[in-house]
Structure formats: C-alpha cells, structure tokens
Amino acid sequence: LPFCMVDRVAPLDTFKSFWKTAASGITSVLAPSGVQAAKMQRARDLSAQLKTLLLLGLRAKEFERTAIDAIISEITAIGSRVDPALLSSGPWQAVYTKNSQPLWEKQARYIPLVTNRAWQDYDLAGGRVVNVGQILGDKIWVSVEGAVSEQSVSDMTPKYYTANIEKGVLNIFGARLPLPIQGKGVAKLMYQDSNLRIFESPKESESEWEEEGLIVVQMPLDSVP
C-alpha cells in the first residue's frame, strides 16, 4: 500500500496556539472591565475635585461655576451605581444649583445676612421623603413631605424617583402652621457616592418647588460647615 502523507504538528506549536487563543479570550473579557474600572476611578477623582470646589465656594460665598459645571457634566456622563442605603442615609444638604433657582433657594434669601440651609431626607424602605428649607435658620423653616417610589429597578444612574408631596408645614419658633402644598414631582439621580449626589428635575414639579432642568448637588448635612 502506498504511504499516506500526514501533517505533523510539533507539541510546542500546539501549546503556543492554545495559549494564543486563550489569551485572546481573556483579553476580550478583561478589556471592558478594565475600561469600566478606569471610568469609575475617573469619577472618584472628579468627585473629590468637586467636593473641594464646593466647600471652597461655600466658605467664600462664591463658586467657580465654570469649573464646577464642567465637572458636573463629565461625572454625570460617567454615572454610578445606585446605593439605596446611601440614598437613605439621612439628610443631605443642597450646596449648589444650576439652570434655575428653586423656590426653597429663593426663600432662603428672604432675610438678608442670614445663612440658611436646605436639605432632603430620603427613606426608601419606608417610602417617604422630606424636604426642608430654612428662612431664618432653625427659628423659621418650611418642610414638605410625601411618598416616594422608584420608577425602575435599575441599579445604575440615571435613576428616576417619583415623589407625591402630601403636605407642607411652616415652622415658626416652634409653632407648626399647615401649608397647602401638594403635587407630584420627579427626581432624576444622575450620580451618587459618599461625597455627593447629583439630581436633575426632568420636569417642573406640580408644587412649583422646583423647575424643569434644575440640577442640584447635595452633600451629607454633617459634612457641610
């Protein structure tokens, strides 16, 4: 019988081919996670920069708006994971706004030379939210509260929440006077970490508390001097 010609592959060539194929697969898997890790690190760096600029602005009573707005644009484009426990971790103070001036910020300036605060307190487990805006420090302030719910189960930003404001109260030196404040509002969480969180109002709230397009940066109340 004639001899059959058989291609022979050296064991070393087989080993090299195997590892080349395996390395290609590993690279394709790791590349996306590597890119995501770089984005998350960039977001952390931007968050630290933004926190510094905001605290400096609060002390100076004047913000470097061009730099701050540029960071807000970049960090919200990157986004973040949504941590319900962090969102419900107590009151967070509004420290910066852009695009429009909300009602609670206007009322904070009714009395000149008084430093007022405005903050928000989510309780997602209980389905409640409370907004507070001072007029004369802790002597005169307005609070509104109602039910809050998620619009989706996504754990990434942007994340939408619906608030049904049920009542308002004017607190004057310990006395509580009911206010006819009711209506529905939508909050869009654009970024969140332990330093700060950024919300946008995608449409005007029925209570006229906030206008469409408003962007608010908040920080934990106890971290703001």
Side-chain angles (χ1 to χ4, degrees), residues 2-220:
F3 290 101
C4 294
M5 299 300 294
V6 179
D7 292 332
R8 295 173 179 262
V9 179
L12 182 58
D13 292 337
T14 302
F15 182 78
K16 288 180 178 179
S17 178
F18 169 79
W19 278 109
K20 184 176 180 181
T21 302
S24 176
I26 292 172
T27 301
S28 65
V29 171
L30 293 181
S33 60
V35 171
Q36 186 66 16
K39 286 184 177 181
M40 292 299 99
Q41 182 58 54
R42 176 61 177 164
R44 287 191 290 269
D45 293 341
L46 289 170
S47 173
Q49 294 173 32
L50 182 54
K51 177 182 179 180
T52 298
L53 287 172
L54 291 172
L55 290 175
L56 288 173
L58 289 171
R59 293 189 184 99
K61 300 186 183 302
E62 184 176 358
F63 292 104
E64 295 183 30
R65 289 193 168 271
T66 300
I68 290 173
D69 290 352
I71 293 176
I72 290 174
S73 295
E74 184 177 353
I75 199 171
T76 54
I78 295 172
S80 66
R81 286 198 172 277
V82 177
D83 183 348
L86 184 58
L87 194 63
S88 303
S89 59
W92 284 58
Q93 180 175 333
V95 295
Y96 184 84
T97 60
K98 62 173 294 191
N99 298 338
S100 66
Q101 188 178 46
L103 180 59
W104 47 263
E105 190 171 63
K106 292 176 182 177
Q107 73 180 24
R109 299 178 181 178
Y110 287 166
I111 303 176
L113 305 178
V114 175
T115 299
N116 290 310
R117 298 174 183 249
W119 65 85
Q120 189 171 53
D121 192 352
Y122 276 90
D123 176 10
L124 293 182
R128 305 295 294 175
V129 62
V130 178
N131 295 325
V132 174
Q134 294 180 334
I135 299 174
L136 184 61
D138 59 1
K139 302 296 188 293
I140 303 176
W141 47 281
V142 172
S143 63
V144 298
E145 64 179 277
V148 65
S149 59
E150 301 177 344
Q151 289 191 2
S152 71
V153 296
S154 171
D155 66 346
M156 296 294 296
T157 58
K159 175 91 171 183
Y160 291 84
Y161 299 88
T162 298
N164 289 294
I165 299 304
E166 302 161 349
K167 62 181 178 179
V169 175
L170 175 61
N171 300 268
I172 304 179
F173 297 97
R176 293 170 57 85
L177 305 178
L179 293 175
I181 300 177
Q182 292 182 333
K184 181 182 293 185
V186 177
K188 177 183 177 183
L189 179 61
M190 302 172 70
Y191 181 82
Q192 174 198 38
D193 64 21
S194 59
N195 284 333
L196 51 89
R197 62 193 190 195
I198 303 172
F199 282 99
E200 180 184 18
S201 296
K203 63 179 182 179
E204 183 173 347
S205 59
E206 294 177 0
S207 63
E208 300 181 353
W209 192 246
E210 297 177 346
E211 295 181 5
E212 179 180 353
L214 171 70
I215 290 178
V216 181
V217 183
Q218 301 175 348
M219 297 174 61

